Every structure is written in C-alpha cells, then in structure tokens.
Amino acid sequence: MIKIIRNFFLTFACILLFSFHPLHAWAKTNRFYYEKKGEVIWEVPTKEKLVAITFDDGPHPVYTPQILDVLKQYHARATFFLVGTRMTWYPNIVKREVREGHELGNHTFTHSFYNKVSHKKFLDELHKTDKLISRYQKKKVKLFRSPGGTLTKEIINSSKDEGYKVIQWSWHQDPKDWSNPGVKSIVNHVINNVHNGDIILMHDSGGRRQQTVEALKEILPELKKRGYRFITVSELLEVSPKYKNLFENEWYHRINL
C-alpha cells in the first residue's frame, strides 16, 4: 500500500514538473498555441492527396536547375524559400522558377539567424528580400521561413506585422538532406512518412545537394503513383477553410485569373 501511494505521488510530481518545464512551455507556445491561431503553419490537414515540397537556401547554379528539371518532368510545383543575396547572383534561375509555376518565399537576405543579429537587421533582411521577390513574382500570399526554422515570439510577431505567414514543415517530413545522409535515406524518410497536407523540407543549396536531386527522382514518381499531387504552399493553404481569408482579397483573384 505504501509503495502504491509513493508511486502515485512520484507520478504526480513528474506531471507537475513537466507542466512547468521550459520544454513544455516551448512546445505549447511554438506549436499548439501559434498553430491554433494560424500564425505559424507546419502542415495543412486535408482529405485530398496533396503535398507541398519546399526547398531552402537557393538558388544554386548547379543543383537548382537540376531540381527544376525533375519537377518539370513530373508536373510538380514547389515553393522555394530564397536567400536574397543568392537571388542577386542568379536572377535567371529565379526567373525560371517563376516561369515554370513555382512559388517564391522569403528566407532572409544573408541566411542570418535571428539570435545572431539585431531586430533592426532582421527586418532589413526581410525587406530587402521582399523587394527582390516582388520583382519576379506577382503579389501572392507572403511566405517566410526563418533560417534553420528558428522560432521566437519576436520573429513570429514581426513577420505577422510585415504581412507574412510563417511556414515551417511537417515534423515527420525533415529527411535532413542537408547532412547528405544518402539518397535512400532521404527517399525512405519522405515516402514512409507521407500524409495528406504535408509540407516537406528539402534544400537546393547550402552545400552539395546531388543526393537531394537523385532522391527527388525517386520520390516524385513513387508519390505520384500513390495518387499524390505536388502543389505550392499557397495552393495548399487555399484548400483549407482555416486560411480562406488569405484568398478573399480582390487583388488575389484578379492576378490569379
């Protein structure tokens, strides 16, 4: 009896401790709280077989064109979260991304992490890249992904004030292609964990990305065989009643006719 009572109190103490643990607070604030408000998006639940593949850190003169070739082969649209400085180096690749139906998102100007720069610097990087994107892409829903997916209250609030939707990725859809774990590892991770409405994280720059290119050649046909369609993040948001207000503006309908 004493042992039972002791175990009960130990269990209660652990629950109480976890409730006030910083990790618990982080999870509640950064996922459940902001996702419920619709200010940060990890995925978009849907009954349709739709996924949004996203690429960070580009454009790259070697790997991005190869990725675009594969996407074109399988009639897939994707969202590219671009680094502003790289946009200035490879404008023709950015033009091709838009010309072939892909979407551009903001990934800061120099891939600066918020905890390493001032708030003023963060906003400056956001604005510089936004101006570049507006040269190539018609006005759409503004998408932002912080380098490394770093989230703070300041990043979320500032992005919201600037008219951005903060886009993360499905927790089960980070194949860690940036670490070059092997083509099969990338392929198996994406295919074995796929769900409707996933936002898949990949990279077209920031290092050697040939494994990502080769993995994409296997991922796209397999998912297509399973009935999945590959759309942009904005298109994924548009299927959800939760984000309907983003697409009710007159300008949005006018430019997307």
Side-chain angles (χ1 to χ4, degrees), residues 156-218:
I156 296 169
N157 290 341
S158 294
S159 301
K160 180 184 175 184
D161 291 343
E162 296 295 324
Y164 280 94
K165 278 292 177 188
V166 179
I167 307 298
Q168 296 291 90
W169 54 87
S170 305
W171 280 354
H172 54 276
Q173 282 296 3
D174 177 7
K176 294 182 170 56
D177 65 324
W178 55 268
S179 67
N180 290 308
V183 173
K184 281 299 177 186
S185 174
I186 298 169
V187 171
N188 291 338
H189 188 100
V190 173
I191 288 175
N192 293 337
N193 293 290
V194 70
H195 295 89
N196 296 358
D198 277 354
I199 297 176
I200 299 169
L201 173 65
M202 303 186 90
H203 298 77
D204 61 328
S205 189
R208 291 186 297 173
R209 296 291 168 251
Q210 198 60 48
Q211 288 186 9
T212 301
V213 176
E214 298 307 316
L216 205 60
K217 293 177 182 178
E218 296 185 39

Side-chain angles (χ1 to χ4, degrees), residues 91-111:
N92 288 335
I93 297 177
V94 180
K95 289 176 184 177
R96 181 184 171 186
E97 288 172 341
V98 174
R99 186 171 65 246
E100 296 183 0
H102 305 294
E103 178 175 52
L104 311 181
N106 195 323
H107 202 46
T108 73
F109 194 72
T110 63
H111 202 269

Side-chain angles (χ1 to χ4, degrees), residues 39-58:
E39 293 179 2
V40 182
I41 296 152
W42 282 264
E43 58 223 0
V44 180
T46 175
K47 293 181 180 179
E48 298 182 65
K49 286 199 161 186
L50 303 170
V51 293
I53 301 178
T54 65
F55 297 92
D56 286 8
D57 301 346

Side-chain angles (χ1 to χ4, degrees), residues 126-177:
L126 206 63
H127 293 156
K128 280 184 178 179
T129 307
D130 185 53
K131 287 180 180 178
L132 285 171
I133 289 174
S134 66
R135 292 181 189 176
Y136 302 98
Q137 181 171 265
K138 293 178 182 178
K139 191 172 182 181
K140 288 189 174 184
V141 176
K142 293 169 66 175
L143 308 176
F144 172 70
R145 177 177 286 163
S146 179
T150 304
L151 280 184
T152 66
K153 188 181 293 184
E154 290 78 13
I155 287 175
I156 296 169
N157 290 341
S158 294
S159 301
K160 180 184 175 184
D161 291 343
E162 296 295 324
Y164 280 94
K165 278 292 177 188
V166 179
I167 307 298
Q168 296 291 90
W169 54 87
S170 305
W171 280 354
H172 54 276
Q173 282 296 3
D174 177 7
K176 294 182 170 56
D177 65 324

